Amino acid sequence: SSQYCGMVLTKFWPVMKQLEKEEDIVINVLVVEDQETNAKILCLLLELLGCIASVVHTAEEALALIAQASNQFDLILLDIGLPDRSGIEIFPELQRLLPKDHKVPVLAVSAFLAEEAQEHCYAIGMDEVLSKPFTVERLSRVIEKHLPHKADLITFRVERT
C-alpha cells in the first residue's frame, strides 16, 4: 500500500487564478523505494522542494498503483534494486501503464549502479539516473529539467553562480 509522506512545505504560494484542479499547483511524485530510511530521506528532500510524495516499497506495489492512478503522478523516482523485481525489469511495464497524453519522467535511483547499467537505463528510455546519495540541489535541478512547466512550483531555490 502507498503512504503519503507529509505536508507540502511552502511559505508563499504564487497567486494562481483560474486553476481548476489541485494537481495543477503541486508536483506529485511516486517514490518506489524498498529501504524505509531511504524512502524517508527522499520524502524529506521532496517536501523541501514543495512536492507531494507517495511511497511504495516493491515493484508490484508500484505497478498496481500506476495501473489505478497513472494520471496522478508528475514524476517517478524508481529504485533499481527492489526486492521483488528490479526497476530496470519493470520499466517497460510501467511505461505501458503511464498516460499517453502527457509524459511522466521516470528517474532511476540507485546506490550501486555501474556505468554500464546507467547506460542501459538511458538506452531503455529512462529519463535520468540519480546515484545515491544526492543533494536537494541535484534533485531540484533534475525536477526543473524534466518538469519545466512546473519549475515555478519548486519552493527551494538553488543559487546559480
Side-chain angles (χ1 to χ4, degrees):
S1 67
S2 67
Q3 59 189 23
Y4 172 68
C5 284
M7 297 179 62
V8 177
L9 301 176
T10 181
K11 293 181 181 174
F12 306 103
W13 281 97
V15 177
M16 295 184 193
K17 297 178 183 177
Q18 302 176 352
L19 287 176
E20 296 176 8
K21 299 184 290 183
E22 183 179 299
E23 54 265 19
D24 290 334
I25 59 169
V26 296
I27 299 171
N28 290 299
V29 181
L30 175 59
V31 175
V32 185
E33 170 62 65
D34 63 309
Q35 298 294 320
E36 190 67 37
T37 301
N38 291 343
K40 286 180 181 178
I41 290 169
L42 283 171
C43 284
L44 287 172
L45 293 176
L46 289 164
E47 287 175 5
L48 282 173
L49 297 175
C51 300
I52 294 177
S54 299
V55 176
V56 293
H57 299 289
T58 68
E60 293 310 315
E61 288 174 345
L63 292 170
L65 184 57
I66 291 295
Q68 287 180 341
S70 65
N71 288 320
Q72 180 179 338
F73 300 105
D74 299 303
L75 183 77
I76 298 172
L77 295 177
L78 178 60
D79 185 23
I80 296 303
L82 297 169
D84 52 343
R85 296 168 64 195
S86 81
I88 292 172
E89 181 185 342
I90 69 161
F91 180 72
E93 280 180 72
L94 197 63
Q95 288 292 88
R96 285 191 292 280
L97 294 170
L98 289 171
K100 307 297 181 241
D101 59 341
H102 72 279
K103 171 117 175 80
V104 177
V106 177
L107 314 182
V109 179
S110 180
F112 311 105
L113 205 54
E115 187 174 330
E116 184 178 299
Q118 288 184 24
E119 290 172 8
H120 182 66
C121 288
Y122 287 117
I124 64 173
M126 290 189 181
D127 297 281
E128 191 89 30
V129 178
L130 291 170
S131 296
K132 294 185 237 177
F134 50 84
T135 63
V136 69
E137 293 88 358
R138 170 90 168 105
L139 186 57
S140 175
R141 283 192 290 273
V142 167
I143 292 172
E144 287 178 27
K145 174 182 171 184
H146 292 287
L147 298 173
H149 60 290
K150 289 197 170 195
D152 61 332
L153 300 176
I154 296 172
T155 56
F156 181 91
R157 288 286 169 220
V158 179
E159 294 298 320
R160 308 272 196 267
T161 56

